[in-house]
Amino acid sequence: MNSQSTSSEAQAEAAAPKGFLRRAWESDIAWSFRHSPVAIVSAVVFLVLVLGAVFAPLLAPYNPFDPSTLNLMDGFTVPMGQGLGSGELYWLGTDDQGRDIFSTILYGLRISLFIGLMAVLFAAVLGVTLGLIAGYFGGWIEAVIMRVADVQITFPSILIAMLIFGIARGLTPPELRDQMAIWVLIVSIGLSDWVYFARTVRSSTIVEAQKEYVHAARLIGRKPGAILRKHLLPNVMGPVLVIATIYLALAIIAEATLSFLGVGAPPTKPSLGTLIRIGQDYLFSGEWWILLFPSLTLLALALSVNLLGDWLRDVLNPKLR
Amino acid sequence: MSDNTAQPLLRVRDLVVEIPTRRGLLRPVNGVSFDVERGEILGVVGESGAGKSITGAAIIGLLDSPSRIASGEVWLDGERIDNLDNEGLRKVRGRQIGTIFQDPLTSLNPLLPIGDQLAETAMVHLSISRAEARERALAALVEVGIPAAAQRIDAYAHEFSGGMRQRVVIALALIAEPRFVIADEPTTALDVSVQAQILSLLRSLCVKRNTGVMLITHDMGVIAETTDRVAVLYAGRLAEIGPTRDVVESPGHPYSRGLMAATPSPSELADKDLRLNQIPGSMPGLLDVPAGCAFHPRCEFVKDRCRNAVPTSYPSGNSHSACFLHDAEALS
Amino acid sequence: MSNGALVQISDLTKTFDISSPWLERVIERKPRQYLTAVEEVSFDIERGTTYALVGESGSGKSTIARMLVGLMKPTRGSVHVDGVNPDSASAEDVLKFRRQIQMIFQDPYASMNPRWRVSEIVAEPIVTLGLLSGRDAVVRRVGELLEQVGLSARDAGRFPHEFSGGQRQRICIARALASNPEFIVCDEPTSALDVSVQAQVLNLMRDLQRDLKLTYLFITHDLAVVRYMADQIGVLYLGRLVESAARDRLFSAPSHPYTQMLLDAAPRLDGFGRQHQSDSSEIPDPINRPSGCHFHPRCSRAKSNCAVESPQTQTAGASRVACFYPS
């Protein structure tokens, strides 16, 4: 006994518990990030876009939603051109009402990102909860949850989102519609994507629940709720993070699609999709910048999130490579 | 040395396998040398991480990237095989070296009847006709003791039990009449009562054909019962090599000594109050192999010299041990 | 209870319904299918001793372990530990049962939550069963437990992946000891470990048994290990207990032909060049067990009645054997 305890003490000293930052820096994920140019570039682009959205009120030269600052004479200013009315410089030009495109993009980004993040959060919370319950309890509970998921997955998610959006709009009083539109969008996109979270979480839960540490917790009488939260949840979150990133890109695009179709964010609170719809009207009359810059921003946002998701999937699941 | 028969069947010299990783260069096999004679079963024993399976994989050129043979030589029947290209290796595998792995399903194609797979292998390597190959396949199945082989020749791998599957794998490994067979933990996944059958079968077939065998296992009991000579690996190095009976009954290296004493045996007259001998600590990971003799932190005979210098192989009785205890010059 | 045994298991039986889903069954007109994993197994374990259950795949040994600790409900039969039954209606009895019985698992890599620190892992039974109150008391107890199994109290802040297989098994033992149990079920605790580490863990378990007066049920497929650990040994074959005897008796004079076969097949260090009988019989499919005595198709002593009737257990002193023609 003596020799063993001394040897394990020596080992303990050699590898004293490390601080969190240090462990994070030395982790495989951090190492792989430092060695992946694609991941670094995507992360930088995504970070710039997020910061732009978060600090839009500080960064934007104009407030595009304050009609008093608009000068109709500045309408259709070309990029890097000076407004006819005010003589001010607009980097990305203006739209028909003289709104600064750069500022509307920053504010639109804010709405697009907010809707995307909240929709994914909603889908993830719903999907993870239902997936954990289905995987752990099995039986008829699992059958009900997974059959609903199976049925839903056979419909394209944009159709489901439109359906839910339509129903919700019908149920809200007209005077609240514009106000509620964003939340309705979040719920309809989230409801169309929870299935993917639920399916993955259910299968990882089934695998994890077979493991002996779960048996050990059950045999001392831990309640199912505690086992789900404390034991299973942390161990099924890896794949959830990957799906969340991939569906963030898809949710942003879904929001843009709905807004482009005119059923999404209202023109009073335009998202990138709304801006693209508006810009489309001017494409053939020569004012290309109203369409181009919001589209490029959407592309950069969706692409950077998607590439980050791909990288994350490769890191967390080396077998897929 | 030009005479072919004077040479050992397999000759491994100073084999080093390296894996470049971001934490440094790992050497799972670090300077291993041994021979296997015709008709001989060499046991390669060691604990997990000792490098025994990687040694086997290096010999047949099946190292997973990014591992690679960094130095050393492998000779089969007087022909050097460690520097062959993929095409050359493919010819050597199957025709000259048969392989048997722990999981029979890695060797058997699930979509092909076992008879077809056996016949295919025989045709490719022996250049015989399809009819002849099928006959050989049937004979091979009979030889490995598949009951009602003629009816089961067109069955698929999943239709056999674990022990029967491993018998089919042995038939597959031997059908091209290789000169040398590598069996990597062939019975670890099987029940005790089936394990004994499979090992007896493997041994009798190889003795009959004068095939050399390298049997990789972690089980000292299997080594004692099945092999003629044994190589004990520790942290990628050869600790001891010699005739099985000598190594088991009077091990020369302190690690083999500890391993034998720690192995419980059902035949021993054990008193319940008798403790199993234990070696303190555990085998070092590849990232922190100690300097000098890799075993020195766990060794009860450790001297200053062991901490600094890597021992070469010294004669110890009928065996050779890589331990300074057997350095005759230092003792005198 | 009257005879003083700590653990009493009587007529324990478990059948699993392994039928296909009902829709498939209806369409393909398949009957329901059942697998009898454990059939009428009875044995007692005396306080402070080790009972070893030995069996190969399909013998039902792990199913017995799960029913014993209350992870699975028996189809029939009962389990009593110190007179208490895991399915008892009284919450007090259930709590007493859970404190008294613990388990050590086979796979040291799956038996601890990889996201938890060692301190949380070892403290879980203490906190859940409400054995100690106050953070300091729990931390002190965790340190004591780690030192008791040959680790250091400083290891508490580390994660399971920082330890080797043998050290992890020590942590599992520390967790099992945390509730001061009297009885520990060990499900192949060393079969995933290397030989030199296995010896450390077995010796530790024996020291703990002596110091803490523990009672073990030791489940394994390895007869060699049993010889070092057990007082009484039960041999299982396809769900039935075919022989149960004191260790020395079982090794020196096995009566059931299956026990003899197992003893003969186990590789031994002094068995140089031993040739085994080269028949090719294997353990039958547990779903379609042979009629009568399940061992009869592989048995050299089998007569016609073995295929028809299943043998009753015969008792001779402390030994029991289920065979018509025991030796």
Side-chain angles (χ1 to χ4, degrees):
Chain A
M1 284 293 268
N2 225 350
S3 60
Q4 292 157 28
S5 59
T6 48
S7 76
S8 83
E9 261 162 38
Q11 281 167 18
E13 246 148 33
K18 292 168 183 163
F20 175 76
L21 273 181
R22 177 148 187 153
R23 272 193 296 125
W25 178 253
E26 285 176 0
S27 71
D28 289 340
I29 292 182
W31 184 86
S32 154
F33 183 77
R34 292 201 295 278
H35 287 75
S36 165
V38 174
I40 293 175
V41 171
S42 312
V44 168
V45 170
F46 182 62
L47 207 67
V48 166
L49 292 172
V50 168
L51 289 177
V54 170
F55 296 109
L58 299 176
L59 293 171
Y62 307 93
N63 182 348
F65 303 118
D66 182 358
S68 65
T69 65
L70 293 183
N71 189 335
L72 271 177
M73 292 291 285
D74 285 355
F76 298 129
T77 310
V78 295
M80 300 311 288
Q82 283 176 332
L84 286 175
S86 62
E88 295 204 45
L89 178 74
Y90 295 104
W91 296 340
L92 301 182
T94 61
D95 66 4
D96 56 336
Q97 300 177 50
R99 268 196 291 239
D100 176 36
I101 298 286
F102 179 65
S103 303
T104 51
I105 285 177
L106 285 181
Y107 279 91
L109 199 55
R110 216 172 144 87
I111 288 161
S112 285
L113 262 174
F114 178 76
I115 293 174
L117 283 170
M118 292 302 283
V120 166
L121 194 70
F122 181 72
V125 169
L126 189 67
V128 169
T129 310
L130 290 175
L132 275 173
I133 289 171
Y136 187 69
F137 292 104
W140 65 267
I141 302 179
E142 180 186 28
V144 169
I145 295 176
M146 294 328 286
R147 286 307 82 75
V148 171
D150 285 348
V151 170
Q152 186 175 332
I153 215 164
T154 55
F155 293 101
S157 49
I158 200 84
L159 264 184
I160 294 171
M162 284 181 76
L163 187 73
I164 299 168
F165 190 84
I167 295 170
R169 240 180 128 73
L171 293 177
T172 37
E175 65 274 18
L176 286 175
R177 263 184 205 159
D178 272 10
Q179 235 178 310
M180 295 290 286
I182 285 178
W183 296 102
V184 170
L185 260 182
I186 288 170
V187 170
S188 40
I189 295 171
L191 273 182
S192 67
D193 284 344
W194 70 274
V195 176
Y196 304 95
F197 291 91
R199 285 191 156 197
T200 311
V201 168
R202 171 184 160 266
S203 54
S204 344
T205 304
I206 290 173
V207 172
E208 289 293 319
Q210 296 294 324
K211 290 196 177 163
E212 292 165 341
Y213 69 87
V214 178
H215 292 318
R218 280 175 56 200
L219 93 99
I220 54 168
R222 284 220 105 165
K223 301 273 178 296
I227 291 178
L228 285 177
R229 259 183 307 122
K230 303 239 167 94
H231 283 291
L232 292 171
L233 182 63
N235 285 298
V236 300
M237 281 311 280
V240 170
L241 202 63
V242 175
I243 307 178
T245 338
I246 290 165
Y247 278 96
L248 175 60
L250 290 179
I252 290 168
I253 292 173
E255 180 278 321
T257 313
L258 289 174
S259 298
F260 181 80
L261 294 173
V263 295
T268 51
K269 279 188 181 169
S271 69
L272 288 176
T274 323
L275 294 179
I276 293 169
R277 190 191 72 215
I278 297 169
Q280 192 211 198
D281 296 340
Y282 301 101
L283 184 59
F284 295 105
S285 54
E287 289 85 17
W288 48 270
W289 57 90
I290 304 177
L291 175 66
L292 183 70
F293 294 116
S295 306
L296 284 180
T297 313
L298 180 66
L299 180 72
L301 180 63
L303 194 64
S304 65
V305 173
N306 218 333
L307 289 173
L308 274 177
D310 278 356
W311 164 80
L312 203 61
R313 184 193 59 203
D314 289 352
V315 174
L316 295 181
N317 194 353
K319 278 180 198 151
L320 283 179
R321 226 174 291 178
Chain B
M1 273 304 198
S2 58
D3 185 5
N4 239 10
T5 53
Q7 284 181 352
L9 172 65
L10 181 84
R11 186 184 173 91
V12 177
R13 281 294 168 273
D14 297 319
L15 186 68
V16 177
V17 175
E18 288 181 348
I19 310 175
T21 71
R22 68 183 178 93
R23 294 195 173 87
L25 195 62
L26 309 184
R27 288 209 178 84
V29 179
N30 195 355
V32 168
S33 304
F34 58 86
D35 295 338
V36 181
E37 303 290 342
R38 288 167 188 79
E40 178 189 58
I41 302 187
L42 174 78
V44 176
V45 72
E47 300 179 86
S48 44
K52 48 193 196 303
S53 290
I54 299 187
T55 305
I59 291 171
I60 44 179
L62 281 180
L63 285 176
D64 290 327
S65 168
S67 342
R68 53 164 197 258
I69 296 182
S71 61
E73 294 172 6
V74 181
W75 298 76
L76 182 69
D77 231 354
E79 189 196 346
R80 194 159 165 193
I81 59 168
D82 58 288
N83 50 7
L84 292 178
D85 57 8
N86 279 340
E87 188 51 39
L89 270 172
R90 216 184 346 258
K91 278 187 190 141
V92 169
R93 280 198 298 264
R95 176 69 190 93
Q96 295 184 31
I97 303 183
T99 49
I100 302 165
F101 294 110
Q102 175 175 344
D103 180 4
L105 293 179
T106 58
S107 312
L108 299 175
N109 184 336
L111 303 177
L112 215 58
I114 53 156
D116 288 4
Q117 207 180 337
L118 284 163
E120 194 82 19
T121 311
M123 270 167 63
V124 168
H125 292 296
L126 302 176
S127 359
I128 51 177
S129 74
R130 179 161 289 276
E132 224 176 317
R134 193 166 164 89
E135 242 166 72
R136 279 212 191 212
L138 181 59
L141 288 176
V142 171
E143 199 175 15
V144 295
I146 302 282
Q151 282 95 58
R152 306 205 70 186
I153 188 166
D154 291 317
Y156 293 86
H158 66 88
E159 297 175 63
F160 290 86
S161 65
M164 287 301 150
R165 257 180 231 156
Q166 203 57 301
R167 285 171 192 264
V168 174
V169 172
I170 292 177
L172 186 65
L174 295 178
I175 195 160
E177 293 172 351
R179 283 173 274 184
F180 178 63
V181 170
I182 291 185
D184 189 353
E185 304 267 8
T187 57
T188 305
L190 302 176
D191 280 312
V192 186
S193 57
V194 181
Q195 159 171 298
Q197 301 165 9
I198 298 293
L199 288 173
S200 292
L201 173 73
L202 181 66
R203 187 166 67 168
S204 64
L205 287 180
C206 291
V207 167
K208 196 167 87 187
R209 291 157 193 243
N210 212 23
T211 313
V213 180
M214 178 173 157
L215 176 68
I216 298 168
T217 175
H218 66 281
D219 188 333
M220 282 312 303
V222 167
I223 290 283
E225 295 197 352
T226 319
T227 64
D228 302 305
R229 281 193 314 133
V230 59
V232 182
L233 287 185
Y234 186 80
R237 298 194 187 122
L238 204 57
E240 181 164 4
I241 184 166
T244 303
R245 188 179 267 271
D246 291 276
V247 176
V248 171
E249 287 184 343
S250 51
H253 195 285
Y255 174 64
S256 348
R257 215 174 284 175
L259 202 58
M260 302 309 152
T263 304
S265 177
S267 56
E268 234 168 282
L269 253 178
D271 190 342
K272 199 201 165 195
D273 305 314
L274 189 89
R275 295 171 67 87
L276 275 168
N277 201 310
Q278 61 186 56
I279 314 176
S282 53
M283 192 158 65
L286 288 175
L287 277 168
D288 32 38
V289 177
C293 170
F295 187 61
H296 84 253
R298 303 174 73 186
C299 182
E300 52 179 316
F301 305 104
V302 60
K303 299 202 171 50
D304 276 347
R305 194 181 173 194
C306 309
R307 295 182 232 273
N308 306 315
V310 178
T312 50
S313 193
Y314 302 106
S316 57
N318 291 327
S319 321
H320 282 80
S321 302
C323 176
F324 290 125
L325 282 179
H326 302 283
D327 184 358
E329 275 172 43
L331 290 177
S332 59
Chain C
M1 291 260 154
S2 55
N3 63 3
L6 178 70
V7 181
Q8 293 170 313
I9 288 158
S10 53
D11 284 332
L12 204 59
T13 301
K14 181 75 190 175
T15 30
F16 292 107
D17 184 348
I18 50 157
S19 321
S20 342
W22 69 268
L23 192 63
E24 208 173 306
R25 234 173 31 236
V26 170
I27 294 170
E28 298 181 21
R29 292 170 189 282
K30 283 186 190 160
R32 277 192 170 271
Q33 263 192 313
Y34 295 96
L35 184 153
T36 306
V38 178
E39 191 181 349
E40 289 169 11
V41 169
S42 308
F43 58 89
D44 292 350
I45 310 178
E46 299 292 326
R47 222 173 269 272
T49 66
T50 301
Y51 189 96
L53 270 183
V54 182
E56 299 180 278
S57 54
S59 65
K61 53 190 193 297
S62 291
T63 310
I64 292 180
R66 284 178 187 191
M67 288 191 281
L68 247 175
V69 297
L71 286 176
M72 203 183 258
K73 274 195 181 155
T75 311
R76 272 195 307 284
S78 65
V79 171
H80 286 275
V81 177
D82 207 6
V84 187
N85 170 319
D87 300 320
S88 164
S90 129
E92 200 182 317
D93 277 3
V94 170
L95 194 65
K96 183 183 170 204
F97 183 88
R98 282 179 183 151
R99 277 184 199 179
Q100 258 184 358
I101 187 162
Q102 274 296 335
M103 191 161 177
I104 302 170
F105 298 93
Q106 173 175 11
D107 183 351
Y109 293 86
S111 53
M112 285 180 280
N113 188 334
R115 313 252 163 196
W116 284 21
R117 286 178 196 274
V118 170
S119 53
E120 301 167 274
I121 291 167
V122 177
E124 191 182 24
I126 307 176
V127 175
T128 308
L129 295 169
L131 300 174
L132 285 175
S133 54
R135 216 186 112 75
D136 290 349
V138 174
V139 169
R140 218 174 312 124
R141 176 79 176 124
V142 168
E144 274 168 29
L145 286 163
L146 288 176
E147 272 160 19
Q148 201 162 23
V149 298
L151 294 168
S152 143
R154 260 169 304 180
D155 291 330
R158 298 162 73 194
F159 286 95
H161 68 86
E162 298 175 58
F163 295 88
S164 67
Q167 289 173 320
R168 285 173 194 226
Q169 210 55 306
R170 286 170 192 268
I171 299 171
C172 288
I173 295 174
R175 173 177 63 189
L177 296 176
S179 63
N180 288 318
E182 272 195 85
F183 177 48
I184 300 185
V185 174
C186 318
D187 189 1
E188 305 238 21
T190 59
S191 65
L193 302 178
D194 282 319
V195 184
S196 69
V197 178
Q198 162 175 287
Q200 295 170 9
V201 172
L202 292 178
N203 285 338
L204 171 69
M205 288 176 59
R206 250 167 39 177
D207 292 342
L208 291 170
Q209 177 167 48
R210 192 192 52 219
D211 298 344
L212 304 173
K213 315 256 179 309
L214 296 171
T215 306
Y216 288 142
L217 175 71
F218 195 95
I219 290 172
T220 181
H221 66 277
D222 187 346
L223 273 169
V225 167
V226 162
R227 185 138 207 178
Y228 284 81
M229 292 299 292
D231 297 294
Q232 286 280 323
I233 299 170
V235 180
L236 286 170
Y237 187 72
L238 287 174
R240 282 188 194 157
L241 196 62
V242 296
E243 183 164 4
S244 177
R247 177 191 54 153
D248 289 338
R249 159 95 206 201
L250 190 107
F251 277 92
S252 58
S255 331
H256 197 282
Y258 176 63
T259 314
Q260 290 165 355
M261 177 178 165
L262 262 188
L263 277 174
D264 181 65
R268 43 182 54 167
L269 269 183
D270 59 356
F272 301 107
R274 205 155 62 101
Q275 267 293 347
H276 293 270
Q277 55 181 50
S278 61
D279 73 345
S280 54
S281 68
E282 282 184 45
I283 302 165
D285 184 356
I287 300 172
N288 302 306
R289 297 185 298 171
S291 61
C293 169
H294 300 325
F295 189 63
H296 82 263
R298 303 174 76 186
C299 183
S300 54
R301 294 208 287 269
K303 300 211 171 71
S304 56
N305 62 333
C306 297
V308 188
E309 306 167 61
S310 42
Q312 291 301 306
T313 305
Q314 305 169 21
T315 309
S319 310
R320 287 183 297 157
V321 60
C323 179
F324 290 116
Y325 311 102
S327 55

